[in-house]
Amino acid sequence: MDQDNNSEDELVGPFEDASEDESLPSRPPGLSDSEAVELLWQVRAQRRQSSPELPETVTRLTAPDGSLLYLVGTAHFSDSSKKDVATTIRAVQPDVVVVELCQYRVSMLKMDEKTLLKEAKDINLDKVQQAIKQNGVMSGLMQILLLKVSAHITEQLGMAPGGEFREAFKQAGRVPFCKFHLGDRPIPVTFKRAIAALSLWQKARLAWGLCFLSDPISKEDVEKCKQKDLLEQTMLEMIGEFPALHQTIVAERDIYLTHTLRQAARCVEAPPNAQKVPAVVVGVVGMGHVPGIERNWEKELNIQEIMSVAPPSRFGWMLRTVLKAGVIGVLGYACYRAGGGMGRALLSLPAVQSLLDNLRPLPPAAA
């Protein structure tokens, strides 16, 4: 699943916005388009620091063609991470910025903090139905449970997630010719592979733990997540309990993120003669992905293997049929208790009709 510079996950073009403190020079009269492009290229080259002093959360990696990747490890609920991202992008003036988002989560780039706080806390029936429709029953319910975890942290800290991604999007728009790529694996693929990797008992345990999450979280706890030793210790605890979950949610996404970052870290064409020069890339990912990206940076990667979703097993189909039958039984009892009119109203609902259709046996094949 290769991505090039014309990828559908590219959001920002060459000229987007100019900040007040880093405004671009006005275009001199009579300057041709090619001359204007060359002028902007020179402006960016002058702003780009050759040996920048960057935060401790930044890791530098080099591609075979000499392109540079500045990988910013972040905590997703952190004002400090937003500052790290802004500092890095301003210092290195990148050709490309890649963030740990996919097309299904891109809306958080455009929402303000107030709207995101409201959305994170408001998990209603419509969101549940949308998640199930998009990801299937089990994966959709797991997504809702993880949204509940995010809402819990949001409520504890009074801070919406993804501030570092919004900051990266804003800063990328202030750099001439900077492109913005979504670098994460599509979330439906991740959820479906994660659910398929867990046993029924593990799914129940995970759901139970997420449903009753109530431990208080402080801003100091979040900032500690930027320390590799603490984060790795937390991940080891998680691996011990759900090793398959770690493989699909963390390790496989490490591979995918490495792939998209390497795709971005390719030589770019410099004006005026389109000479190939090494690119400068800034990657913005959760700190937990940094060690995996470093390990995978020079390896041969098989992306197709981690993009496939196995069809449901026969046991899974039987389990869903039993659950649906149970729902129909509860509805039948409700109809009996409510009386004939209410019963007919319940049975006329589209959701109930769909359940009945799925349980109806298939007609025998023609001889």
Side-chain angles (χ1 to χ4, degrees):
M1 186 173 175
D2 291 349
Q3 294 180 350
D4 54 28
N5 285 344
N6 296 318
S7 165
E8 64 179 1
D9 291 344
E10 177 185 309
L11 300 182
V12 177
F15 313 96
E16 276 293 321
D17 182 28
S19 64
E20 295 179 0
D21 56 333
E22 295 182 348
S23 58
L24 298 175
S26 58
R27 180 169 176 164
L31 202 66
S32 68
D33 289 345
S34 60
E35 290 172 333
V37 167
E38 189 173 356
L39 174 62
L40 281 177
W41 191 273
Q42 291 172 356
V43 169
R44 190 182 66 172
Q46 291 171 358
R47 292 178 177 176
R48 180 178 286 171
Q49 301 175 21
S50 57
S51 300
E53 291 187 9
L54 299 175
E56 294 181 355
T57 54
V58 178
T59 301
R60 175 172 153 159
L61 299 172
T62 305
D65 65 4
S67 296
L68 295 177
L69 168 65
Y70 294 92
L71 191 61
V72 188
T74 67
H76 294 318
F77 292 83
S78 170
D79 284 329
S80 177
S81 286
K82 290 164 62 175
K83 294 176 183 176
D84 291 351
V85 168
T87 297
T88 303
I89 293 177
R90 288 172 184 164
V92 306
Q93 296 286 296
D95 298 287
V96 186
V97 171
V98 182
V99 296
E100 183 200 330
L101 288 176
C102 68
Q103 63 266 37
Y104 294 92
R105 293 180 289 157
V106 71
S107 59
M108 73 162 52
L109 295 175
K110 300 294 182 72
M111 293 184 186
D112 56 44
E113 289 281 327
K114 185 176 180 180
T115 303
L116 280 166
L117 281 169
K118 181 180 177 182
E119 287 289 318
K121 294 177 182 179
D122 182 24
I123 301 177
N124 53 36
L125 183 59
D126 288 340
K127 288 185 179 179
V128 174
Q129 291 176 335
Q130 183 179 358
I132 290 175
K133 183 178 180 181
Q134 178 176 295
N135 301 309
V137 176
M138 291 301 296
S139 299
L141 291 176
M142 192 60 63
Q143 180 178 350
I144 291 299
L145 289 173
L146 291 175
L147 281 175
K148 181 181 180 296
V149 175
S150 177
H152 170 67
I153 300 175
T154 297
E155 186 174 4
Q156 291 278 319
L157 300 181
M159 180 188 303
E164 75 274 32
F165 302 139
R166 290 187 291 281
E167 186 66 28
F169 186 64
K170 180 174 72 175
Q171 294 296 332
R174 296 173 175 174
V175 178
F177 305 103
C178 184
K179 297 174 181 177
F180 190 93
H181 287 185
L182 306 176
D184 203 359
R185 182 172 65 177
I187 196 168
V189 176
T190 297
F191 276 126
K192 288 175 182 178
R193 286 183 62 84
I195 291 299
L198 294 177
S199 67
L200 184 61
W201 173 241
Q202 287 175 321
K203 291 172 187 174
R205 286 175 57 206
L206 179 62
W208 180 267
L210 294 176
C211 280
F212 293 94
L213 179 71
S214 59
D215 293 339
I217 302 169
S218 68
K219 292 189 177 183
E220 289 75 17
D221 292 333
V222 174
E223 293 304 324
K224 285 178 182 178
C225 285
K226 294 168 68 176
Q227 301 174 12
K228 292 184 179 181
D229 54 342
L230 176 64
L231 189 67
E232 288 174 359
Q233 178 182 345
T234 304
M235 290 310 304
L236 284 173
E237 294 173 358
M238 181 178 176
I239 291 171
E241 192 166 1
F242 300 107
L245 198 64
H246 173 266
Q247 176 64 27
T248 52
I249 291 182
V250 180
E252 290 182 0
R253 288 172 60 223
D254 288 347
I255 294 172
Y256 192 92
L257 287 164
T258 304
H259 170 72
T260 52
L261 288 165
R262 291 200 316 208
Q263 291 290 311
R266 291 176 170 178
C267 285
V268 296
E269 295 181 350
N273 54 5
Q275 178 184 357
K276 294 282 188 179
V277 295
V280 174
V281 177
V282 170
V284 182
V285 302
M287 179 58 76
H289 291 292
V290 173
I293 293 171
E294 288 185 272
R295 286 193 300 270
N296 290 315
W297 185 246
E298 297 181 356
K299 292 181 180 179
E300 291 290 331
L301 303 177
N302 186 347
I303 297 302
Q304 296 303 323
E305 182 180 340
I306 63 170
M307 290 299 293
S308 62
V309 178
S313 65
R314 185 169 183 81
F315 173 77
W317 177 85
M318 292 175 61
L319 178 62
R320 284 193 298 274
T321 301
V322 170
L323 290 174
K324 288 176 181 178
V327 171
I328 293 297
V330 172
L331 285 173
Y333 180 74
C335 292
Y336 168 76
R337 298 289 297 178
M342 181 63 73
R344 284 190 294 273
L346 286 171
L347 289 172
S348 67
L349 291 173
V352 177
Q353 290 293 323
S354 176
L355 285 175
L356 290 171
D357 289 340
N358 289 338
L359 286 174
R360 191 173 293 130
L362 296 174

